[in-house]
Amino acid sequence: MPAINTINAWAGEDLEKAAKENLGEDKGRLKDDLKALKSWISKSPHLHSIRKDDAYLTMFLRGCKFSLERTKEKLDFHHTVRGNLPSWFDSWDPRQPQLQAILKAGMYLPLKGYDRHGRRVILMRAGGSDPNTMKKEDEFKVSTMVMEHAMDGDAQASICGIVLIQDMGGMTAAHALSMNPVVAKKAMTVWQDAYPARPKALHFINMPPVIESVFKMMEGFQKEKMKKRNHVHPKGDMSKMQEDLGLDILPKEYGGTNGTVEELTNFWREEMEKNRDWLMEQTKFKTDEAKRPGKPKLHSDIFGIEGSFRKLEID
């Protein structure tokens, strides 16, 4: 398997050009923007514990196309979510047995390198979950841990964006029932609104009929712009996805040449162990709502009232 992130990696000048053309990035203004953000954070008592390094703040600026106001809103909301959702964002020790089981199942696998358009590709294999032994909240926690580590410091991903492959092969009615509207709304709020990542395409493959109702429910929480980026492929047919991404980025099981799912699973398990201290440190970066000027933001302010959803009907 090649060293991490060499496939379709762009040279510095190409990245600079893409950042300027697609995001309006300007080196001179970037310094001023970073200074302005740090000054704003220092005057925001509820944000004093968050990360303030240049690479981290630049990722948020890129995700908001250098709108300073939008970047401030996203930074605030991101860290508010981290503080209000401990089931996802606390206790990031990858050695915990329940998290180890999910890592061993190989459900969240950022691929090594980039696709033919320069985008980072994340393979998600929801059928690897065991609904009888694995909690949904722990699965989301592991996906967040893996994604945050994979994206940290990845300038190309923050400039060119990311692509998600959702392989739904092996999913059953038990998987469908574990995904209720409360969980779905939480997931979509976190993924769409709290992160500066720029999803460019979502490829859904091997979708069993029993999962279609879950897909429709998740789609109901998507923004219009994101719905247009969904590509649902006929079961067993990956040709359009292969065409979009290129074979050199895909694992062998998906018709590509980039290692195997088993190798990727082992790689990310080892990465989580190697970066255990870094992962555990991330849990302290959140708002201190007691110090927020004005009214503190509560769980219900972000995710709504949990009793107001009907149960998902499975045909």
Side-chain angles (χ1 to χ4, degrees), residues 43-108:
K43 291 170 189 160
S44 306
H46 62 300
L47 295 176
H48 280 182
S49 77
I50 76 169
R51 270 178 70 178
K52 305 170 196 65
D53 55 281
D54 286 358
Y56 187 71
L57 296 178
T58 300
M59 180 174 73
F60 275 84
L61 280 163
R62 285 177 177 149
C64 299
K65 290 194 170 178
F66 288 85
S67 158
L68 211 47
E69 285 317 302
R70 267 178 58 212
T71 306
K72 289 175 186 177
E73 281 168 21
K74 181 86 74 174
L75 272 168
D76 194 322
F77 189 70
H78 175 84
H79 293 92
T80 305
V81 165
R82 291 183 93 91
N84 272 287
L85 202 53
S87 55
W88 286 37
F89 291 102
D90 272 4
S91 310
W92 275 20
D93 183 351
R95 288 182 191 168
Q96 294 171 85
Q98 72 275 23
L99 305 188
Q100 271 297 311
I102 296 163
L103 286 165
K104 274 182 195 165
M107 291 163 61
Y108 308 104

Side-chain angles (χ1 to χ4, degrees), residues 260-297:
T260 65
V261 165
E262 187 186 355
E263 285 168 349
L264 272 170
T265 302
N266 292 336
F267 173 80
W268 283 108
R269 275 183 67 205
E270 285 164 21
E271 278 295 294
M272 294 293 103
E273 176 56 38
K274 266 193 247 168
N275 292 279
R276 180 174 178 246
D277 291 345
W278 183 88
L279 287 162
M280 287 163 72
E281 191 189 12
Q282 303 313 299
T283 60
K284 72 182 190 196
F285 302 125
K286 55 190 175 188
T287 56
D288 181 346
E289 288 303 323
K291 291 183 180 165
R292 181 187 288 277
K295 193 170 160 274
K297 286 217 171 121

Side-chain angles (χ1 to χ4, degrees), residues 161-233:
I162 62 169
V163 174
L164 301 180
I165 302 172
Q166 296 272 9
D167 182 355
M168 296 167 148
M171 290 185 81
T172 63
H175 289 102
L177 288 165
S178 69
M179 196 64 180
N180 62 53
V182 172
V183 175
K185 183 169 194 288
K186 259 185 212 167
M188 295 312 282
T189 300
V190 174
W191 292 336
Q192 286 189 130
D193 302 325
Y195 276 92
R198 303 173 57 245
K200 295 296 184 183
L202 295 91
H203 289 280
F204 297 88
I205 57 174
N206 302 322
M207 192 189 296
V210 74
I211 296 301
E212 283 169 17
S213 52
V214 175
F215 174 73
K216 286 194 181 90
M217 173 184 66
M218 294 295 280
E219 213 178 23
F221 291 117
Q222 276 185 312
K223 292 174 176 168
E224 219 39 61
K225 188 168 82 170
M226 288 314 301
K227 278 184 198 170
K228 288 179 183 151
R229 294 177 187 178
N230 290 342
H231 304 276
V232 181
H233 300 277

Side-chain angles (χ1 to χ4, degrees), residues 237-249:
D237 181 2
M238 294 188 261
S239 55
K240 286 273 193 295
M241 179 188 79
Q242 290 165 342
E243 207 177 294
D244 180 35
L245 308 182
L247 298 181
D248 52 356
I249 184 62

